[in-house]
Amino acid sequence: MSQKLSELIDLLKGHRVYIQTHNFPDPDAIASAYGLQVLLGKFRINTVICHHGSVERAMTANMVSEFQIDMTADSELKYMTSEDYIITVDSQKGNANILDLIGNEVAVIDHHPVFCVVDDYKYRDIRIVGSCSTIIADYYRQYKIEMPGSVATALLYGLKCDTRDFTRGVTQLDVDIYSYLFPKADNRLIRHFQSGEIEYHELNSFVDSMRNIEVYDGVAFAFLNFYCTDAFIATISDFILNVDVVNFSVVYTRRDDGFKFSVRSEIEELNAGLIISEALANVGSGGGHKSMAGGYASESKILDISIDYNKVIQNLFLSIIDKIPHKGYTAKKRNEAEEITVKSTEPEKNDTENA
């Protein structure tokens, strides 16, 4: 066993341990938590997988059901105390997309860039790779730990989902892990899970969302003026990149007291995570990878700038993007955009998941 894995095992022994995903967990978060739970079980460390928010997509729920993954909602955590240990997977303490539970977050395993610096982890494994599933699978591979077929299938599915079938954010480690997992996984099941990416009841919403797209020099904005899940926002953001005149997409919808964002980029120079972090710095928070990111903005702070929130949001992003030269792009004056002044406020927690 490696020194790093032995450190985690030693840290957790003798404690009640929870594995916490980000809110409204997606396939990568669930697969990572499941794979880690099975791995720790081999060292007689029992764990509980916990989360806040529902499993939103049918394809994700199908995986949970197929492998009988036991997931506990935060509302059902009756016995967690401040003495219990929490491992966060596919997210990091301090982000707005992960509920702050009463337990002690002692460890993090994640593949996202660090936007909120936390110094009190006792174990940290953050690698900028295509998926968190990649990191969990690498534990099995490096330390020659036997992997059940269900774990291999879940991890491969999580890897394929977060890299969108190896079209974004792929590293050499992701490729190596794919080769490791492929012969162990049930690819028939993965095809079955993937077939539910768009659900029947969402078809009208999907069409409606296409009617609200505005494009400026390859940057597309779509306001979804209806209730939709975080996962659906991300699906629309991915889809818009298929439009021939679009290379950067910003999709957003209302929440109770603000706006939820999903951002995608297929241009190397336009780093989605950095752009949304800077664009929302004074009205909310955001972050993520170069090609995919998420965020949240306060409605009151947006409306403090102007009641035309769509124009405010467009200007927040375009004012950043216009400063970044990239191939095939020329910044030009947008006559229809009002000049804005963003009030400086204390930064909020970062929201990088369900991007």
Side-chain angles (χ1 to χ4, degrees):
M1 188 193 312
S2 80
Q3 181 180 357
K4 194 164 185 63
L5 183 58
S6 66
E7 288 175 1
L8 179 61
I9 301 301
D10 291 342
L11 171 65
L12 301 177
K13 283 182 177 179
H15 294 272
R16 186 157 54 186
V17 179
Y18 293 84
I19 301 172
Q20 184 181 4
T21 71
H22 57 71
N23 303 341
F24 302 95
D26 60 11
D28 184 37
I30 295 172
S32 299
Y34 175 50
L36 181 60
Q37 182 181 59
V38 172
L39 185 150
L40 293 176
K42 294 178 179 294
F43 298 94
R44 298 182 180 180
I45 296 174
N46 296 322
T47 58
V48 173
I49 298 174
C50 60
H51 64 98
H52 171 72
S54 61
V55 176
E56 294 180 326
R57 308 298 290 176
M59 61 181 187
T60 311
N62 288 340
M63 180 182 74
V64 172
S65 176
E66 177 68 32
F67 299 136
Q68 299 182 345
I69 302 173
D70 189 7
M71 301 183 63
T72 304
D74 62 289
S75 59
E76 300 173 359
L77 296 174
K78 300 178 180 179
Y79 304 108
M80 181 184 286
T81 73
S82 60
E83 301 299 316
D84 295 331
Y85 279 6
I86 295 175
I87 310 168
T88 62
V89 295
D90 202 27
S91 188
Q92 300 170 33
K93 180 179 179 180
N95 286 355
N97 70 323
I98 185 167
L99 185 67
D100 186 10
L101 298 175
I102 192 174
N104 184 9
E105 296 94 342
V106 297
V108 57
I109 301 173
D110 190 25
H111 71 120
H112 294 94
V114 177
F115 286 88
C116 298
V117 178
V118 176
D119 295 325
D120 57 354
Y121 289 125
K122 297 181 180 180
Y123 178 88
R124 181 193 310 259
D125 190 355
I126 299 175
R127 308 184 220 172
I128 308 305
V129 293
S131 73
C132 193
S133 293
T134 300
I135 300 172
I136 301 300
D138 195 37
Y139 287 150
Y140 284 88
R141 183 184 68 135
Q142 282 195 42
Y143 315 132
K144 297 180 173 56
I145 299 171
E146 184 179 356
M147 177 184 289
S150 60
V151 171
T153 304
L155 291 174
L156 184 55
Y157 180 47
L159 170 55
K160 286 168 68 69
C161 285
D162 251 37
T163 60
R164 200 159 180 80
D165 279 325
F166 280 73
T167 61
R168 66 184 180 201
V170 180
T171 68
Q172 184 59 51
L173 181 59
D174 298 305
V175 175
D176 294 342
I177 290 300
Y178 180 89
S179 298
Y180 169 72
L181 292 174
F182 184 83
K184 298 176 171 58
D186 185 336
N187 287 276
R188 177 193 59 81
L189 269 179
I190 292 176
R191 288 192 297 272
H192 171 64
F193 298 153
Q194 288 180 310
S195 66
E197 183 173 357
I198 299 175
E199 299 173 23
Y200 181 79
H201 68 88
E202 295 174 333
L203 289 178
N204 287 335
S205 298
F206 199 88
V207 173
D208 289 343
S209 66
M210 296 300 105
R211 297 193 179 104
N212 294 321
I213 299 175
E214 296 183 58
V215 182
Y216 303 92
D217 299 334
V219 181
F221 294 88
F223 172 53
L224 309 186
N225 193 22
F226 48 84
Y227 175 79
C228 53
T229 64
D230 289 359
F232 184 78
I233 304 170
T235 298
I236 297 299
S237 196
D238 283 327
F239 180 81
I240 290 176
L241 281 187
N242 293 313
V243 179
D244 60 347
V245 295
V246 175
N247 50 45
F248 192 93
S249 63
V250 180
V251 179
Y252 55 102
T253 192
R254 282 186 179 274
R255 287 292 183 259
D256 290 340
D257 56 354
F259 299 90
K260 171 68 180 178
F261 291 81
S262 178
V263 174
R264 298 291 186 267
S265 175
E266 59 181 19
I267 299 296
E268 181 69 21
E269 294 87 351
L270 299 184
N271 185 313
L274 294 180
I275 289 171
I276 194 172
S277 177
E278 187 171 351
L280 301 185
N282 294 312
V283 295
S285 65
H289 297 283
K290 293 178 68 174
S291 59
M292 58 184 289
Y296 192 86
S298 163
E299 181 177 25
S300 63
K301 291 177 182 177
I302 291 288
L303 295 180
D304 277 350
I305 301 170
S306 170
I307 60 172
D308 188 349
Y309 54 82
N310 286 313
K311 195 58 64 180
V312 170
I313 289 169
Q314 290 171 10
N315 275 310
L316 287 173
F317 282 89
L318 294 175
S319 64
I320 305 302
I321 294 172
D322 280 350
K323 301 174 185 176
I324 307 172
H326 64 275
K327 185 176 181 181
Y329 175 83
T330 303
K332 62 183 181 182
K333 184 177 181 180
R334 311 175 196 286
N335 295 322
E336 72 283 4
E338 61 184 291
E339 185 176 352
I340 61 173
T341 302
V342 180
K343 297 179 180 180
S344 179
T345 59
E346 182 179 350
E348 299 184 5
K349 287 184 177 181
N350 190 29
D351 185 5
T352 62
E353 281 302 333
N354 300 88

